[in-house]
Amino acid sequence: MFVSCRQTVEMLKQNIIAPFRFRRSVDRFVFSFTYRRVGECLGQVQQLHRASSLPPVEQAGMVAAINYSRQSRLSFDTCWLENIGEKIVLETVGNRVTPLVLNPGRVLLTSERLYFQPYNNVEMEPVTKVRLASITGLHCRRFLLRPQGLEIEYSADKGGRRHIYLSLGKQG
């Protein structure tokens, strides 16, 4: 599938955190699908193309609606569970918050672990897994001035301490 556009936004060029750069030039991108057929994705691409022709305010609303619709249809992939005997306690939509990045995904709490599966492949690991027994601290945080954030400190498997900051409230 070929996509041609008149403006592109460069972000994380060479994986360096820097301000976004807007380039106004005609570019052509080629997408090849490995695990899906083009026809399965074409409907969503057409919706996004229609949204790009709208005024900015309406465009943001339509993209948010398309995104919400897609995310609400997805569920956590249980193939990533470490133990088949784990009982699912809670599954919800959440965001992993890191400096300059808000990464949406699914949060799954089981009887043994907390999992975060992002909707995209920006993270280093496809699923973040935290053993409940390794959690050393829980801190309620505010996110966008609302008390909907949770910072979890835990001991890493290879030693050392790590943390994950999740936003669990509804956005908007």
Side-chain angles (χ1 to χ4, degrees):
M1 176 168 58
F2 295 95
V3 175
S4 180
C5 59
R6 293 185 301 265
Q7 180 178 347
T8 56
V9 181
E10 288 182 354
M11 37 188 136
L12 286 176
K13 186 174 183 180
Q14 297 175 342
N15 214 18
I16 296 172
I17 296 176
F20 297 166
R21 202 171 119 222
F22 293 84
R23 289 187 11 205
R24 292 185 186 269
S25 63
V26 176
D27 290 314
R28 189 173 185 191
F29 298 94
V30 179
F31 293 90
S32 61
F33 295 88
T34 305
Y35 301 105
R36 301 266 181 180
R37 290 189 300 267
V38 173
E40 294 175 23
C41 302
L42 199 55
Q44 190 144 18
V45 171
Q46 288 173 327
Q47 283 182 328
L48 291 170
H49 184 271
R50 271 193 300 273
S52 71
S53 65
L54 296 173
V57 174
E58 294 174 20
Q59 180 179 12
M62 186 171 179
V63 169
I66 292 167
N67 204 15
Y68 178 78
S69 170
R70 181 176 182 274
Q71 291 175 359
S72 64
R73 284 183 270 132
L74 296 175
S75 62
F76 186 87
D77 183 1
T78 54
C79 294
W80 288 103
L81 293 178
E82 285 283 318
N83 182 353
I84 195 141
E86 292 181 63
K87 303 281 188 257
I88 297 175
V89 177
L90 172 75
E91 180 177 355
T92 186
V93 175
N95 298 300
R96 183 173 189 167
V97 181
T98 56
L100 301 178
V101 179
L102 180 68
N103 197 5
R106 300 295 288 188
V107 177
L108 184 76
L109 178 64
T110 68
S111 55
E112 296 179 22
R113 288 178 181 77
L114 173 76
Y115 297 91
F116 176 75
Q117 181 180 33
Y119 291 127
N120 53 39
N121 60 357
V122 173
E123 302 280 335
M124 296 282 274
E125 304 156 345
V127 174
T128 302
K129 304 173 185 179
V130 178
R131 286 190 355 261
L132 296 181
S134 70
I135 293 177
T136 58
L138 289 173
H139 306 284
C140 291
R141 300 286 188 220
R142 295 180 80 77
F143 179 72
L144 298 177
L145 302 177
R146 294 185 184 143
Q148 60 190 21
L150 182 65
E151 184 174 2
I152 302 165
E153 294 179 21
Y154 61 98
S155 309
D157 293 334
K158 300 173 186 171
R161 299 173 57 82
R162 301 194 61 192
H163 73 278
I164 182 172
Y165 181 5
L166 299 173
S167 164
L168 301 171
K170 285 186 178 179
Q171 298 297 310

